[in-house]
């Protein structure tokens, strides 16, 4: 097999483009697509101070590695990494991986813990949610607290953008979940850059891997020898996402290119849904002062529910 780009020995088959690639051409194409995505969606400007939300998984490791390369050419831009330790077993390993990659790439690394910031670990949070009637899935509690912590700390560090590792598969799974659950307001909040308009205290989040398929992100991380931890959080068990993931993978297998098409369709729907929605009243949370649509923000609601004041 010859690489369709350079003629060297090819080892990678890309179904949707019918390309056969050697390792070098694959890495090049992958990076080119990420750079193009950053440019086309105006994710970064030369003076941004960017924090990568580093989970220890493959996706954020790839984001960090690629942004580090880009920053070598942008002397006025800043780059750092923030990790959140939720205090479950797997976190020890993910933190190790995060520390290693930051050390090797020479990126400043900040770690914050659930225990110090909220006074409990995720394990303890899980126990508390078991006592609540109609409790939301644990991931939604954890996600809300994690995002707030990340935003607060990034703000204190003078960060202007937070980069996350969301890849193509994550995005279209979320899109399909929102569609199935009829949560179109959530669909309206999707996109390559989110959280720009609402409030000066909210740091915009960018997703440089949003058009990179998950299997290619994994391959990229492996070929580059990036440090990452493959195990997932023991509490992550979104049944609907799992079903959708296998359904979408099957569609892609039978009809290569469908994943990209789903993202395109999602991106065409977002502005239509946004324009049809009434702008909700923006208020300040009566406890912490963060922007919210109700009296209490979601974080303060959760703290109250769990009794963690
Ligand atoms: Zn090649
Ligand atoms: Zn609040």
């Amino acid at each position: 097999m010859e690489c369709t780009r350079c003629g060297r020995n090819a080892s990678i088959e890309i179904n949707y483009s019918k390309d056969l690639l050697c390792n070098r051409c694959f890495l090049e194409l992958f990076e080119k697509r990420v750079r193009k995505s950053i440019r086309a969606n105006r994710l970064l400007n030369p003076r941004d101070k960017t924090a990568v939300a580093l989970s220890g998984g493959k996706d954020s490791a790839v984001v960090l590695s690629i942004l580090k390369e880009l920053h070598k050419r942008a002397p006025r831009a800043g780059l750092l990494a923030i990790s959140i330790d939720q205090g479950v077993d797997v976190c020890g390993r993910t933190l190790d991986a995060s520390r290693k990659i930051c050390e090797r790439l020479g990126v400043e690394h900040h770690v914050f813990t659930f225990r110090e910031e909220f006074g409990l670990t995720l394990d303890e949070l899980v126990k508390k949610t078991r006592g609540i009637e109609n409790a939301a899935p644990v991931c939604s509690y954890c996600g809300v607290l994690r995002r707030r912590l990340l935003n607060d700390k990034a703000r204190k560090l003078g960060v202007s953008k937070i980069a996350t590792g969301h890849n193509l598969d994550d995005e279209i799974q979320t899109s399909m979940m929102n569609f199935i659950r009829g949560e179109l307001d959530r669909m309206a909040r999707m996109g390559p850059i989110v959280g720009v308009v609402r409030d000066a205290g909210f740091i915009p989040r960018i997703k440089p891997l949003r058009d990179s398929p998950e299997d290619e992100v994994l391959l990229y991380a492996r070929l580059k020898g990036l440090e990452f931890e493959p195990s997932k959080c023991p509490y992550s068990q979104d049944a609907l996402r799992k079903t959708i993931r296998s359904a979408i993978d099957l569609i892609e297998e039978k009809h290569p290119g469908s994943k990209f098409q789903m993202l395109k369709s999602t991106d065409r729907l977002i502005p239509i849904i946004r324009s049809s929605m009434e702008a909700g009243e923006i208020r300040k949370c009566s406890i912490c002062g963060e922007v919210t649509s109700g009296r209490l923000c979601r974080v303060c609601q959760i703290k109250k529910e769990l009794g963690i004041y």
Side-chain angles (χ1 to χ4, degrees), residues 98-261:
S98 300
R99 284 200 186 97
K100 276 185 198 143
I101 191 170
C102 286
E103 207 170 293
R104 187 170 59 79
L105 297 176
V107 174
E108 183 185 313
H109 187 212
H110 299 261
V111 180
F112 301 99
T113 67
F114 263 31
R115 151 123 5 253
E116 261 172 60
E117 306 295 331
F118 301 115
L120 84 180
T121 64
L122 183 55
D123 287 327
E124 289 160 349
L125 190 150
V126 170
K127 278 188 204 124
K128 279 182 185 273
T129 59
R130 290 202 182 116
I132 299 170
E133 214 180 315
N134 301 322
V138 171
C139 293
S140 79
Y141 287 91
C142 177
V144 169
L145 296 179
R146 204 177 53 234
R147 276 192 296 277
R148 169 66 66 86
L149 188 52
L150 195 60
N151 193 70
D152 284 353
K153 297 300 178 184
R155 191 161 55 190
K156 283 188 188 130
L157 289 163
V159 162
S160 54
K161 299 270 169 63
I162 294 175
T164 64
H166 293 93
N167 59 47
L168 171 67
D169 293 70
D170 296 328
E171 285 290 285
I172 56 177
Q173 285 159 18
T174 303
S175 170
M176 187 58 86
M177 284 167 75
N178 291 336
F179 187 75
I180 289 174
R181 289 177 172 152
E183 294 181 324
L184 293 185
D185 53 324
R186 283 176 181 259
M187 195 97 137
R189 293 200 294 269
M190 294 182 68
I193 177 161
V194 292
V196 190
V197 282
R198 300 242 313 174
D199 176 40
F202 194 89
I203 300 169
R205 285 154 193 282
I206 59 169
K207 303 172 188 167
L209 301 184
R210 194 168 175 264
D211 34 27
S212 300
E214 179 160 31
D215 50 356
E216 291 182 27
V217 176
L218 179 62
L219 183 58
Y220 183 91
R222 285 196 179 135
L223 290 176
K224 293 285 274 189
L226 302 181
E227 298 83 351
F228 70 91
E229 167 59 44
S231 6
K232 298 261 178 261
C233 174
Y235 296 116
S236 87
Q237 38 170 259
D238 196 321
L240 178 58
R241 186 178 287 274
K242 268 185 204 156
T243 310
I244 288 174
R245 169 198 283 266
S246 33
I248 292 178
D249 284 347
L250 178 66
I251 295 170
E252 177 68 27
E253 195 192 310
K254 306 254 181 206
H255 309 278
S258 295
K259 287 185 179 179
F260 286 113
Q261 195 50 55

Side-chain angles (χ1 to χ4, degrees), residues 3-9 20-26:
C3 173
T4 41
R5 304 258 159 172
C6 73
R8 273 189 288 259
N9 272 347
L20 290 170
L21 298 175
C22 67
N23 289 357
R24 207 156 91 182
C25 289
F26 167 77

Side-chain angles (χ1 to χ4, degrees), residues 52-72:
V52 174
L54 195 60
S55 69
K58 64 185 188 313
D59 304 289
S60 51
V62 168
V63 171
L64 187 69
S65 164
I66 290 182
L67 289 190
K68 178 64 191 181
E69 279 305 309
L70 283 178
H71 274 72
K72 288 180 182 161

